[in-house]
DNA sequence: GTGAAAGCGCTAACAG
DNA sequence: CTGTTAGCGCTTTCAC
């Protein structure tokens, strides 16, 4: 039984047909259209197949012939280690996988490491369509996907004009969070955000870079903040915005430290993701600050860990995003023009935001 | 630009060749072997391709010809919702994905819902090999995979004799955990385990069902327990073992309740997974029991949440398991006989296990 | 109910 | 460096 040993495919549909003295059609029918065949003949075919070790029609050959692969590709240009550690990404993946499962479709994770600009994997993927999740808008992998003649839906991506899209209104959501902070009395704030482009910049971000960010989600969230605070007279140029390439709690912590160093007087630290916020929270507490008494901290995403920590944040339906993306793609037969699904978000009022108290100096250096 | 609109594939390699007045080989070479071509001609080919909207060689046709799909399939017969909520499963997935990415190979999640016995998806999967993760040994999907003439590696699965295998020594690991409890003085214990077969049984388990369990991992862990406790004179028949189909904290909680109901005098509740243990922990505390003063609780897996909770458990290298499975599969060119990788585990002494104190009656009903 | 014909779109010798 | 030849293994009208 060396079955598992990379055996040279022994029998083909043709050889089976020959052995049986029937046509290839008949054998094919035995597998694909049982009703086109006498049960008796079918039994004989299947039995002979087993005897000859014929494993059934080759899926690739079938795909070539039928012009469908039975799978959708997922492009995820984040280091996998971060993706699989990010509850939001996992939620998206789960939703997408559920949609695929419902449709009996496979889900192909296309290897697309941001470091290697190897687009070949995109070309090699035998899929009926692509879902693209949160990649920079200038990512070559994305470009490669768009060149493939298959339907595509992008998620957390700017409007590409001719492609289906799923997302939330990041700018509006962040704007409303900002409004909340403003109404609490915060005027002097700091920001921690995720990577804005493909190049690593673990440092402060000038407004130009903010506006030119290649990650739509981050750009929109920053824009929402800038807009809200500008509207109450805050000069956004003066607001320290620290960027971090790696999406980890450690990044959140170091960015928080950097921002506090730059402006100890801020009364709120706004983070563009919960992961970063949780890291920041830890760092601030480690430094002896109380949240929210001494400083307000907010996140974005609404992951479970954030909820447990009582983080003030924006909750977005990540699983639904994945599911919607899958549905959109798998429906794409009967569509005509690009569709867009915008899911709603919810401001979560946790226990990490409050009105500023005392002078900032006091908070930072002690009373 | 109706590029995204499911266009009928306009051009093929052949038509492009015709247009250019060169042979198909030349066009093929332009894509696959740039060095077999004058740069000038190559440029012309690629440019004409763009002009004609030729998206490059069709991946499926290429796969058929080259006999390789550039992807491995992952069979995961758990409800996806549980899989994606189980840190251990996610860790495995991450490790496998990393191995695939290293090799530039895609990872195809094969839709295999335990409820639908639809094996077709396995047949339809265009992959160069399969990884099978923790499915019941009588799963029809598994059988279907084994019939495919591609290399396969199973993980957390009994030895199939002719297939590569990755796993840990579940029995030994659980045995050592049991020894630890025994050395602490525990003799009267209860057990909470995951599903043992494909049928739902949210109830106690008789020893026969334990020994006949179709999930190798669960069977081995229970065997390790039974063996350890039997060796110090405990009659395993009398030990309450509660099974739960769904792998959730809620299941752990309800099973814990059920076991306590059955035998309030147990001094330790042993769970075969951390998820279950965390649920049990919550339930016991909710009932006013202190852990470990009133009762000992243990888990298995070593997930992060368990660590945070200070759970006494067994840590297993889930990420490494995934990576090892991927490596094994992607190496399988140069192999001859089935290989097995057994990774090591580590007993984690947390704060949820201690020597039993007072009488059990007191603990359960109050002093 | 069964078969013959006609590719799906591509790559890989090999010869020129 | 380029072209010719030969399929990879299968499905699908369309006759019989």
């Amino acid at each position: 039984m060396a079955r598992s040993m990379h055996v040279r495919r022994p029998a083909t549909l043709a050889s089976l047909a020959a052995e049986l003295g029937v046509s290839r059609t008949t054998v094919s029918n035995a597998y694909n259209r049982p009703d086109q065949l006498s049960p008796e003949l079918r039994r004989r075919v299947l039995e002979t197949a087993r005897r000859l070790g014929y494993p059934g029609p080759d899926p690739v050959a079938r795909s070539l012939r039928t012009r469908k692969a039975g799978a959708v590709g997922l492009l995820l240009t984040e280091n996998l280690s971060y993706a699989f550690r990010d509850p939001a990404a996992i939620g998206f993946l789960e939703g997408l996988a559920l949609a695929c499962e419902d449709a009996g479709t496979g889900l192909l994770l296309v290897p697309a490491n941001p470091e290697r600009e190897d687009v070949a994997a995109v070309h090699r993927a035998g899929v009926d369509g692509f879902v693209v999740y949160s990649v920079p808008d200038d990512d070559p992998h994305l470009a490669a996907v768009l060149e493939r003649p298959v339907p595509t839906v992008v998620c957390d991506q700017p409007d590409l004009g001719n492609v289906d899209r799923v997302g939330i209104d990041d700018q509006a959501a962040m704007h409303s969070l900002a409004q909340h902070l403003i109404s609490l009395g915060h005027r002097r704030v700091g920001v921690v955000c995720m990577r804005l482009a493909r190049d690593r910049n673990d440092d402060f971000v000038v407004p130009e870079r903010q506006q030119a960010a290649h990650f739509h989600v981050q750009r929109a969230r920053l824009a929402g903040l800038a807009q809200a605070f500008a509207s109450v007279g805050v000069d956004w140029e003066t607001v320290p915005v620290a960027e971090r390439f790696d999406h980890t709690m450690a990044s959140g912590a170091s960015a928080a430290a950097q921002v506090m160093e730059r402006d100890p007087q801020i009364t709120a630290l706004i983070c563009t993701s919960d992961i970063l916020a949780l890291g920041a929270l830890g760092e601030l507490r480690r430094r002896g600050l109380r949240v929210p008494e001494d400083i307000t901290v907010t996140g974005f995403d609404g992951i479970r860990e954030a909820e447990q920590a009582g983080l003030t944040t924006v909750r977005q339906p990540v699983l639904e995003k994945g599911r919607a993306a899958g549905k959109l793609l798998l429906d794409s037969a009967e569509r005509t023009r690009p569709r867009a699904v915008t899911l709603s978000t919810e401001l979560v009022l946790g226990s990490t935001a409050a009105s500023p108290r005392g002078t900032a100096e006091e908070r930072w250096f002690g009373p």
Side-chain angles (χ1 to χ4, degrees), chain A residues 82-164:
Chain A
Y82 298 135
F84 282 111
R85 281 175 168 69
D86 179 355
I90 291 172
F92 179 84
L93 188 57
E94 180 185 344
L96 179 56
L98 287 171
C100 289
E101 190 179 85
D102 280 350
T105 302
L107 178 58
L108 180 72
L109 273 45
V110 178
N113 192 300
E115 272 112 54
R116 284 190 315 192
E117 300 216 348
D118 185 9
V119 171
V122 172
H123 292 137
R124 238 191 321 253
V127 296
D128 301 319
F130 281 98
V131 171
V132 179
Y133 178 69
S134 193
V135 306
D137 55 24
D138 61 343
D139 189 306
H141 300 279
L142 171 57
V145 163
L146 294 177
E147 270 161 19
R148 293 269 313 250
V150 293
T152 296
V153 17
V154 298
C155 185
D156 289 354
Q157 219 71 32
D159 191 347
L160 263 40
N162 51 1
V163 169
D164 286 349

Side-chain angles (χ1 to χ4, degrees), chain A residues 151-319:
Chain A
T152 296
V153 17
V154 298
C155 185
D156 289 354
Q157 219 71 32
D159 191 347
L160 263 40
N162 51 1
V163 169
D164 286 349
R165 215 158 64 87
V166 171
I168 59 173
D169 188 337
D170 288 283
Q171 182 162 348
M174 196 53 125
H175 189 273
S176 79
L177 175 60
Q179 289 293 11
H180 173 59
L181 297 182
I182 288 169
S183 74
L184 285 175
H186 295 279
R187 291 296 182 279
R188 191 151 179 174
V189 302
V191 179
V192 173
C193 70
M194 289 167 61
R195 82 173 72 149
L196 299 182
R198 290 192 285 149
D199 63 310
R200 178 184 287 270
N201 169 46
D202 291 325
D203 209 333
F204 290 107
V205 195
V206 294
E208 294 73 54
R209 186 176 168 92
Q210 292 176 35
Q211 285 149 26
H214 285 292
F215 283 91
H216 169 258
V217 163
Q218 296 297 307
R219 187 179 55 230
R221 292 181 192 171
L222 289 174
L225 287 178
Q227 188 194 333
F229 280 101
S231 75
V232 293
V234 173
D235 179 5
W236 191 253
E237 300 260 348
T238 67
V239 174
V241 177
E243 173 181 349
R244 284 297 179 274
F245 191 80
D246 297 335
H247 189 216
T248 61
M249 285 180 55
S251 286
S254 85
Q258 191 175 27
V259 169
M260 294 308 289
E261 221 72 56
R262 169 77 137 246
D263 184 358
Q265 305 211 41
I266 62 169
T267 61
L269 186 61
I270 303 167
C271 305
T272 64
S273 89
D274 285 349
I275 297 272
L276 293 175
L278 291 172
L281 218 49
E283 175 65 15
L284 296 174
R285 287 188 173 135
R286 217 168 294 129
R287 291 177 171 235
L289 293 180
R290 292 163 305 159
V291 177
E293 292 81 358
D294 299 329
I295 188 165
T296 281
V297 174
T298 65
F300 200 110
D301 280 344
I303 65 177
R304 246 192 49 190
E305 290 81 344
E307 193 180 347
Q308 288 167 349
L311 195 65
T312 291
T313 187
V314 172
R315 182 182 300 135
Q316 61 166 322
V318 287
L319 190 140

